[in-house]
Amino acid sequence: EQVALKEKVYLDVGESRGNLRYDEDLDEYVPDPDGAFLLFVLPSGRFEPITNLQTAFRVQYDPGRYWREAETPLQNLLTKISGESYFRVEEETKETDLASLYTLDLSKLQQANTLRGSIIYNQDLYLLRRNRDFSFRLQYRYRDDLLNQFLDPGENENRLSIDRSLRFDWRITQRLKSQSEGRLKLIQRE
């Protein structure tokens, strides 16, 4: 594909007529309903060839489906565990080494040649999922996004989001259930 790099232009439209203001402490434009600036994103007119890579795979595992009658202690333990793994990569890049992209060499993804890229990994692990009285779920979410399509390097952005959670379901009585969840989330933005 061919893509044009973009340029952000902040137009001064007068006090209280825009939706952004310049914050000198942060050294960036921030949303403000009484701001004096409007943002326009314009294509630069300079087209560059890129490779667009999109791939994903999902693995679901549930040994309890295959071993209804566990014969060994290991099989008994494995029948109580189930889960799902999901991995996705989206990358628009100017990288010339296409073999490394297609073999998912992670050292080549989200580098200086990347215009736009995402790496997403989700993991769900269940313990005693089919048990209606007592079950656990461990969840992990990882997302790393790079937006590197602007001419001015200061306008580009890198975001990282990591989310971990543990959920505990417990039936106290026939009519009383409890669901508790703990979550730890990290968000970074450059």
Side-chain angles (χ1 to χ4, degrees):
E1 294 182 16
Q2 294 251 340
V3 69
L5 294 179
K6 297 179 181 178
E7 184 175 15
K8 287 185 177 180
V9 177
Y10 295 92
L11 185 62
D12 189 349
V13 293
E15 199 67 37
S16 298
R17 297 185 70 206
N19 56 9
L20 297 169
R21 70 173 165 78
Y22 184 74
D23 188 322
E24 293 179 7
D25 295 332
L26 296 174
D27 193 29
E28 67 180 33
Y29 291 89
V30 295
D32 184 354
D34 294 325
F37 295 92
L38 290 175
L39 169 63
F40 291 96
V41 178
L42 305 172
S44 65
R46 191 176 85 207
F47 287 90
E48 298 190 23
I50 63 161
T51 301
N52 188 352
L53 170 71
Q54 296 181 12
T55 187
F57 65 89
R58 178 183 315 267
V59 176
Q60 295 176 329
Y61 38 94
D62 189 0
R65 291 173 134 177
Y66 306 108
W67 292 319
R68 298 275 186 219
E69 303 292 325
E71 297 173 5
T72 67
L74 178 62
Q75 284 179 345
N76 188 31
L77 174 67
L78 290 176
T79 59
K80 294 173 178 23
I81 298 171
S82 62
E84 181 177 316
S85 300
Y86 178 74
F87 181 72
R88 182 171 87 201
V89 173
E90 295 177 0
E91 180 94 3
E92 289 182 5
T93 182
K94 297 181 282 185
E95 177 66 48
T96 56
D97 184 7
L98 297 180
S100 65
L101 288 176
Y102 293 139
T103 57
L104 295 178
D105 180 358
L106 295 179
S107 67
K108 296 288 186 175
L109 300 176
Q110 295 194 349
Q111 299 300 318
N113 287 332
T114 300
L115 295 180
R116 191 171 38 232
S118 293
I119 297 175
I120 299 167
Y121 174 68
N122 296 336
Q123 178 65 57
D124 291 323
L125 185 63
Y126 298 94
L127 181 61
L128 302 170
R129 185 177 193 175
R130 290 186 185 86
N131 189 330
R132 293 182 182 181
D133 296 328
F134 187 77
S135 66
F136 285 100
R137 181 193 74 193
L138 289 168
Q139 192 175 62
Y140 179 79
R141 302 282 186 254
Y142 175 90
R143 182 178 184 114
D144 191 0
D145 294 311
L146 176 65
L147 184 64
N148 201 22
Q149 63 183 4
F150 293 102
L151 290 173
D152 180 7
E155 299 288 344
N156 295 319
E157 184 174 90
N158 193 354
R159 286 188 199 169
L160 175 65
S161 172
I162 300 174
D163 189 5
R164 299 174 188 99
S165 70
L166 169 67
R167 187 176 77 193
F168 172 65
D169 293 317
W170 179 36
R171 182 167 33 186
I172 300 167
T173 66
Q174 281 297 97
R175 294 183 178 212
L176 184 60
K177 293 182 180 181
S178 171
Q179 185 178 77
S180 303
E181 186 167 357
R183 182 172 297 249
L184 179 63
K185 191 166 192 171
L186 167 75
I187 298 175
Q188 291 180 340
R189 178 178 161 248
E190 290 180 51

